[in-house]
């Protein structure tokens, strides 16, 4: 996934996860589709983002929004209002970096996004 701007995020997720034609190409639609995935039934889901330190480099707001949406999807699939009948379906997101300093900065950005007031 390239994920250099919001439109690319929508495209790459839609392409990788075979989003249905009704996907709305916005943050709410991305959130909805990541918490549904009925068209892609699986025992678990793994989202891998290479070069995650370069994720949405020109918009900190979009970056924080994406981190929150991914965290919501992880919580959803872990059973918090997610899969039917209380089943747990692993939904894992791996944000990969090449260097330790990139990983530290990325971790700080994720932590900030998940802990700031909305």
């Amino acid at each position: 996934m390239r994920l250099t701007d919001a439109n690319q995020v929508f495209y790459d997720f839609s392409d990788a996860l075979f989003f249905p034609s009704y996907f709305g190409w916005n943050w709410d639609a991305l959130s909805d589709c990541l918490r549904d995935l009925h068209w892609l039934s699986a025992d678990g889901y793994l989202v891998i983002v290479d070069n995650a330190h370069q994720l949405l480099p020109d918009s900190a707001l979009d970056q924080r929004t994406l981190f929150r949406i991914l965290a919501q999807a992880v919580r959803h699939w872990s059973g918090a209002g997610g899969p039917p009948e209380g089943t747990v379906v692993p939904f894992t997101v791996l944000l990969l970096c090449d260097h330790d300093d990139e990983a530290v900065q990325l971790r700080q950005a994720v932590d900030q996004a998940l802990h700031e007031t909305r």
Side-chain angles (χ1 to χ4, degrees):
M1 293 184 172
R2 294 174 294 278
L3 308 180
T4 55
D5 62 35
N7 287 328
Q8 193 65 52
V9 169
F10 305 144
Y11 175 81
D12 284 353
F13 272 94
S14 176
D15 188 52
L17 297 173
F18 306 105
F19 284 178
S21 61
Y22 59 79
F23 174 58
W25 302 96
N26 60 55
W27 293 117
D28 289 335
L30 178 64
S31 179
D32 290 346
C33 283
L34 288 177
R35 290 180 290 122
D36 186 347
L37 298 175
H38 73 273
W39 59 88
L40 193 63
S41 182
D43 293 332
Y45 302 96
L46 175 62
V47 174
I48 300 173
V49 179
D50 251 343
N51 298 311
H53 62 286
Q54 297 174 353
L55 180 67
L56 296 161
D58 296 329
S59 178
L61 177 61
D62 285 347
Q63 187 184 69
R64 288 190 302 268
T65 300
L66 178 59
F67 291 152
R68 284 190 205 116
I69 288 170
L70 292 172
Q72 289 168 355
V74 168
R75 279 192 304 274
H76 172 83
W77 288 103
S78 70
E85 303 174 23
T87 58
V88 174
V89 177
F91 186 98
T92 304
V93 178
L94 296 177
L95 302 175
L96 303 179
C97 299
D98 291 329
H99 304 287
D100 290 343
D101 59 325
E102 295 166 348
V104 168
Q105 291 175 354
L106 182 62
R107 179 58 164 181
Q108 290 171 344
V110 170
D111 286 344
Q112 179 182 3
L114 299 182
H115 292 104
E116 69 184 19
T117 315
R118 292 172 184 107

